[in-house]
């Protein structure tokens, strides 16, 4: 029998690990908007979560009631492919240290952010949570996916062995303000926003995009993801991870058209098929999330337009953020 969750106490200390990243910064905004008065964000420059001693020292002195783990080394398909050691090693260390320190600090509620890339490359579409560990992973991100799968298993293990009410969520591809807009290391949406924005500014006639344009992806705005995370902390308490997505995908070619329109680019688009396509399709089954009563608020075209406006105002100061999502 599931035990009803107590309402999250707005005055409790909520720790957001990775608060300068795309997701962590959105979670901080959402906590403030929902009236949480003791939300504390940490970045890697505040506490190095790959360092066990520093992590234990920080957590056992702060003693938060809730931890939201949005700290990770993240990157797009090229960065994952080029640096598997860092993607595996840093993420395993961050999770192991943070979870052990949260347990030592007696943290009752913890939310771990995984990724939809933990599912097998050829999963049924839309991908149900039950697809986890049923087949081989996409080769370009095996290291990152294995680290995130280890995080899911760690959360389940703390629940089973110590009765911790910790949960894992698996977001689909995320975008929004504060993203990493690095030209080669970032995910597709920020990479396109930057490339098309710069092409319009410089008057370039051509923009080169990667792959064939055929892969299908689903995108969620970081503010919707943040709202879903707080909603699930208040309404979900189960060992199985929960997918967080919007229930719709599109081809990369269609995404390119949306970004070109939002930036006002009317020139030529050329596909560089020497770059990897990655997983052919990644659409999450979100029925478990929707059954908790959560609803998406920001549509993709609207979200892309606001991200383009944010980037135009913030550039050129926005650049690579290797850690913190
Ligand atoms: O966003 P992305 O790097 O991540 O790439 P994945 C998605 C698709 O967009 C691929 C194409 O088919 C790319 O070939 N694409 C087109 C581009 N132009 C570009 C570009 O300029 N930059 C990038 N990055 N892609 C990542 C995983 O997979 O998804 C991570 O590697 C993580 O581990 C993340 O899970 C959410 O969706 O393919």
């Amino acid at each position: 029998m599931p035990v009803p969750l107590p309402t999250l106490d707005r005055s409790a200390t909520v720790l957001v690990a990775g608060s300068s990243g795309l997701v962590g910064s959105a979670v901080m905004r959402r906590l403030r908007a929902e009236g949480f008065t003791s939300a504390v964000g940490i970045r890697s420059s505040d506490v190095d979560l790959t360092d066990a001693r520093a992590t234990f020292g920080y957590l056992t002195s702060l003693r938060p009631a809730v931890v939201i783990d949005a700290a990770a080394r993240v990157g797009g398909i090229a960065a994952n492919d080029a640096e598997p050691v860092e993607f595996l090693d840093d993420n395993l260390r961050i999770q192991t240290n943070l979870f052990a320190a949260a347990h030592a600090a007696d943290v009752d509620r913890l939310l771990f952010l995984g990724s939809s890339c933990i599912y097998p490359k050829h999963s049924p579409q839309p991908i149900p949570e039950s697809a986890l560990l049923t087949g081989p992973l996409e080769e370009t991100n095996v290291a990152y996916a294995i680290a995130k799968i280890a995080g899911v298993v760690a959360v389940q293990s703390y629940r089973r062995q110590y009765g911790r009410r910790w949960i894992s969520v698996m977001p689909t591809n995320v975008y929004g303000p504060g993203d990493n807009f690095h030209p080669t290391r970032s995910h597709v949406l920020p990479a396109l926003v930057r490339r098309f924005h710069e092409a319009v500014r410089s008057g370039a006639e051509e923009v080169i995009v990667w792959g064939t344009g055929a892969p299908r992806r689903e995108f969620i705005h970081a503010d919707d993801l943040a709202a879903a995370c707080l909603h699930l902390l208040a309404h979900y308490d189960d060992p199985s991870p929960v997918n967080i997505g919007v229930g719709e995908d599109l081809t990369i070619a269609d995404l390119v058209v949306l970004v070109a329109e939002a930036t006002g680019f009317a020139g030529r688009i050329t596909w560089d098929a020497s770059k990897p396509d990655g997983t052919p399709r990644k659409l999450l089954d979100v029925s478990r999330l929707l059954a908790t009563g959560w609803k998406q608020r920001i549509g993709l075209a609207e979200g892309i337009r606001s991200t383009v406006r944010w980037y135009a105002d913030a550039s050129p100061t926005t650049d690579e953020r290797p850690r913190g999502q």
Side-chain angles (χ1 to χ4, degrees), residues 74-81 87 114-118 138 140-142 144-145 148 171-174 182-192 195 208-217 219 252 255-256 271-272 275-279 282 325:
V74 296
I77 192 164
N80 269 269
D81 203 22
F87 277 83
S115 164
S116 58
C117 73
I118 65 163
E138 151 64 24
T140 52
N141 65 28
V142 168
Y144 179 73
K148 288 291 183 182
T172 197
N173 292 30
V174 193
H182 190 272
T184 54
R185 298 183 52 85
S186 66
H187 291 107
V188 58
L189 213 154
L192 296 179
R195 212 169 296 146
I208 296 175
V209 287
W210 299 359
T212 62
R216 300 185 72 89
R217 294 288 185 275
F219 296 92
I252 296 298
L255 178 74
V256 164
W271 294 90
D272 174 2
K275 293 285 195 302
D277 266 349
T279 300
K282 226 180 343 171
Q325 181 173 315

Side-chain angles (χ1 to χ4, degrees), residues 126-127 129 218 243-248 284-291 294:
I127 312 173
E129 289 87 353
E218 175 189 16
N243 290 338
I244 302 183
V246 300
E248 261 180 53
L284 293 179
D285 179 339
V286 286
S287 38
R288 186 172 293 180
L289 171 68
L290 298 184
W294 182 79

Side-chain angles (χ1 to χ4, degrees), residues 17-48:
S19 62
S20 62
L22 170 64
V23 179
S25 56
V27 169
M28 289 298 290
R29 285 195 296 278
R30 184 75 194 182
L31 283 166
R32 291 195 192 104
E34 288 200 11
F36 284 83
T37 50
S38 302
V40 179
I42 49 168
R43 300 163 296 179
S44 51
S45 54
D46 301 318
V47 183
D48 179 2

